[in-house]
Amino acid sequence: MTTFLNLTLNGLATGAVYAALALSLVIIYQATRLVNFAQPALALVAVYIAYTVSQMTGSYWIGFVAGLLSGLVAGALVERVVIRPIAKSSELNAIIVTLGLLLIVQGGVGMIWGNRQHGFPYAFDYVGRFSPADVFAVASVAVTALLLFGLYQFTPLGLRMRAAAFRPEAARLSGVKVGLMLTAGWAIASLIGALAGMLAGPPFISPNAFDGVFVYGITAAVIGGLDNPFGAVLGGVLIGLGMSYVSGYAGPELATLAALAIVVLVLSVRPDGILSRPAARKV
Amino acid sequence: MILEVQNLNASYGAVRALKDVSLGVAEKGFCAVLGANGAGKTTLLRTLTGLHRAAGGRVLLEGEDLTRLPAERVVTRGLAHVPEGGGVITELTVEENLRLGGLWRRRRDRVALDEVLDLFPPLAQRISKSASTLSGGERQMLAIGRALMSRPKVLLLDEPSLGLAPLVTRQIFDLLRELRSSTGLTVVLVEQNANGALAVTDSGFVLNQGSVVASGPSAELLSDDRTRHAYLGF
């Protein structure tokens, strides 16, 4: 029973990170029908800036905030400078460009900060069962998800963003600046991606630090339903728990297989993901 | 003339969809724009509100040049556009759709919402329901209501009768006429259903292959057999 409890708590903590990454992907997919493969690159930049600021100021939290803010700015910049000029041509072009951006940024980070590992601290003590660091991971992602829900559901900005995502033309006719809403979406998504990076980074960061986590983040987004934020959170938790149970009961070498098995299982029952709304996509 | 269109041109690639279209709509007027499929009616509206880029000519609203403004700015100048099919966002609730229409105003306009709900009682009953649960006629009401939330000076409607039963169409047309007399709103109605549109409007323009081929008071257009047979198909 304790094993089960341990594995569950452990799965929740890692699942929270996957959920945050999945959220960042879903926000952008909802708005632009684009899977942003550059998301880990944006998180990478945020985490390295957090690392540098922490080193300079000696405070983890100043670095943490700097990291989140740089994620926000990086997301907005990428949308404006890189994605917007090519978004009109075809969805596939944009996807390839995000892939290219991922490679460029990873290379760039290696050139600036070096390819060796840097120590990156946990926010809190990480020793023991459901350590303070784990609690922080779960709590911060839960709060982020709630704030995001509130933003979408109860604020004028959220209403504009949803309108722009669902029916850009109707939104424009209602006076919504659709382009600005896309930038806002990318900024918010990258902020959440940066949070995921800050949680997934410790104890070491390197230019390829997020490759693995990103794979599970994307997996979580897909099984949850790419266009549903709730699905992203659910998918993240599901993948986290599933991998934790399998590695605990059957051996850690099977954890990756577990993720794959979950994908196959979920998608064979619900091909669009657990919480997707396929009808809404036909418009 | 509250709305004036001067030598408006628009094209899709090499195809010229509007050729030197000029027309004027009087203040508090109820004006029909008629013509067959592909005559350029929808393109005209889309060019007026900046959804399609004008290749030449000018659009003036109360003398202000709107020609180069993007669509999201045109609505803030008082020219509202209900697109073909209404453009109701079915993923949002009825209330969210309505609120969206007035969102560009800095101050929240509670009165506008109440007025619109008074105008369309069926919407008031389903205010918190998803817009996807509405019938075709109710969706058209919602689309018009959303446009009214911006308190426009001129309301452009693209085929509100599309897909509606004749009786419902009639209701919508009557409602537009009432709206015009009660609020002084100017209404431009694009229609393929020329007979129905000419019965409620006071003036009309007939488009054919991107050009204005006839215009005048609605009653005259109705009684002009040549125009009717050649362009309006009845």
Side-chain angles (χ1 to χ4, degrees):
Chain A
M1 195 60 213
T2 28
T3 322
F4 179 76
L5 196 65
N6 277 339
L7 293 175
T8 305
L9 294 175
N10 189 23
L12 276 180
T14 46
V17 176
Y18 303 151
L21 259 179
L23 261 181
S24 69
L25 292 170
V26 164
I27 293 168
I28 288 177
Y29 184 81
Q30 255 192 332
T32 51
R33 298 287 152 208
L34 167 71
V35 178
N36 178 20
F37 285 99
Q39 201 59 260
L42 298 172
L44 198 65
V45 170
V47 168
Y48 270 94
I49 288 178
Y51 166 80
T52 304
V53 173
S54 293
Q55 294 275 308
M56 285 184 335
T57 59
S59 156
Y60 173 84
W61 292 107
I62 295 179
F64 184 83
V65 172
L68 292 187
L69 289 180
S70 50
L72 188 89
V73 173
L77 271 178
V78 165
E79 196 277 329
R80 277 281 148 133
V81 180
V82 184
I83 300 300
R84 183 154 319 178
I86 49 127
K88 276 178 196 139
S89 50
S90 109
E91 274 173 34
L92 201 57
N93 287 2
I95 290 173
I96 300 298
V97 165
T98 64
L99 270 171
L101 195 64
L102 172 64
L103 298 177
I104 291 171
V105 171
Q106 284 184 335
V109 165
M111 285 164 71
I112 298 169
W113 281 282
N115 282 316
R116 67 182 180 84
Q117 292 187 328
H118 292 280
F120 188 82
Y122 286 91
F124 294 98
D125 183 16
Y126 61 93
V127 185
R129 175 169 94 184
F130 214 47
S131 64
D134 287 344
V135 175
F136 176 67
V138 173
S140 60
V141 173
V143 168
T144 305
L146 283 176
L147 284 177
L148 189 71
F149 175 74
L151 171 81
Y152 271 133
Q153 219 60 36
F154 302 116
T155 69
L157 175 66
L159 180 54
R160 284 193 183 95
M161 288 175 70
R162 281 185 294 153
F166 292 132
R167 297 290 293 265
E169 196 161 273
R172 291 187 69 197
L173 289 175
S174 294
V176 175
K177 296 183 179 104
V178 172
L180 194 63
M181 293 306 113
L182 289 184
T183 310
W186 275 74
I188 292 168
S190 302
L191 173 87
I192 297 175
L195 172 69
M198 231 79 74
L199 298 174
F204 297 109
I205 52 171
S206 67
N208 293 89
F210 298 136
D211 291 1
V213 189
F214 179 63
V215 170
Y216 299 126
I218 247 190
T219 311
V222 168
I223 66 170
L226 256 177
D227 53 9
N228 190 312
F230 293 110
V233 174
L234 186 67
V237 172
L238 219 62
I239 292 279
L241 286 177
M243 288 175 65
S244 177
Y245 292 142
V246 168
S247 74
Y249 290 119
E253 67 278 4
L254 293 176
T256 314
L257 274 181
L260 188 65
I262 294 173
V263 174
V264 172
L265 266 175
V266 169
L267 294 192
S268 56
V269 182
R270 304 260 317 169
D272 288 300
I274 302 170
L275 294 182
S276 76
R277 291 168 297 186
R281 232 180 268 169
K282 277 186 214 149
V283 186
Chain B
M1 294 292 146
I2 186 165
L3 177 68
E4 231 173 312
V5 179
Q6 300 170 345
N7 298 73
L8 197 63
N9 282 282
S11 34
Y12 296 100
V15 182
R16 289 185 67 197
L18 295 179
K19 301 165 195 159
D20 289 318
V21 170
S22 295
L23 49 88
V25 181
E27 188 157 8
K28 298 181 189 172
F30 193 177
C31 168
V33 175
L34 309 166
N37 241 337
K41 305 184 300 293
T42 295
T43 305
L44 174 63
L45 288 201
R46 293 178 61 86
T47 313
L48 289 183
T49 47
L51 286 175
H52 190 78
R53 185 171 279 278
R58 297 207 302 166
V59 178
L60 303 174
L61 184 73
E62 290 186 321
E64 188 190 0
D65 194 339
L66 305 182
T67 322
R68 299 269 163 242
L69 285 185
E72 59 268 26
R73 311 267 299 168
V74 168
V75 63
T76 67
R77 295 298 195 275
L79 187 58
H81 179 172
V82 177
E84 201 171 330
V88 160
I89 303 175
T90 51
E91 289 88 348
L92 304 180
T93 66
V94 171
E95 184 180 4
E96 284 169 339
N97 266 285
L98 289 174
R99 273 187 20 229
L100 184 68
L103 220 50
W104 59 268
R105 300 171 160 278
R106 279 187 203 293
R107 229 170 283 141
R108 203 160 160 191
D109 193 348
R110 200 61 229 186
V111 184
L113 185 60
D114 290 340
E115 282 173 11
V116 167
L117 292 178
D118 280 347
L119 214 54
F120 304 106
L123 296 185
Q125 286 166 16
R126 331 195 60 150
I127 184 86
S128 56
K129 294 257 164 42
S130 162
S132 61
T133 64
L134 299 184
S135 70
E138 288 165 342
R139 282 187 200 202
Q140 199 55 244
M141 289 179 199
L142 179 55
I144 296 171
R146 187 174 67 198
L148 292 178
M149 288 292 291
S150 70
R151 295 193 178 280
K153 296 165 188 156
V154 177
L155 179 64
L156 310 173
L157 296 133
D158 197 348
E159 293 216 36
S161 72
L162 198 75
L164 298 187
L167 198 67
V168 183
T169 303
R170 185 74 220 177
Q171 280 173 357
I172 301 260
F173 283 2
D174 286 344
L175 211 136
L176 290 172
R177 192 160 53 178
E178 264 171 51
L179 203 64
R180 191 265 305 253
S181 39
S182 62
T183 64
L185 179 72
T186 307
V187 181
V188 177
L189 179 64
V190 159
E191 266 299 333
Q192 261 194 85
N193 170 9
N195 208 357
L198 286 175
V200 289
T201 52
D202 41 46
S203 68
F205 294 87
V206 180
L207 283 180
N208 188 48
Q209 296 186 359
S211 302
V212 177
V213 290
S215 65
S218 299
E220 273 176 35
L221 287 174
L222 257 182
S223 58
D224 177 359
D225 288 341
R226 203 182 53 85
T227 307
R228 263 182 33 206
H229 291 315
Y231 304 114
L232 303 179
F234 68 95

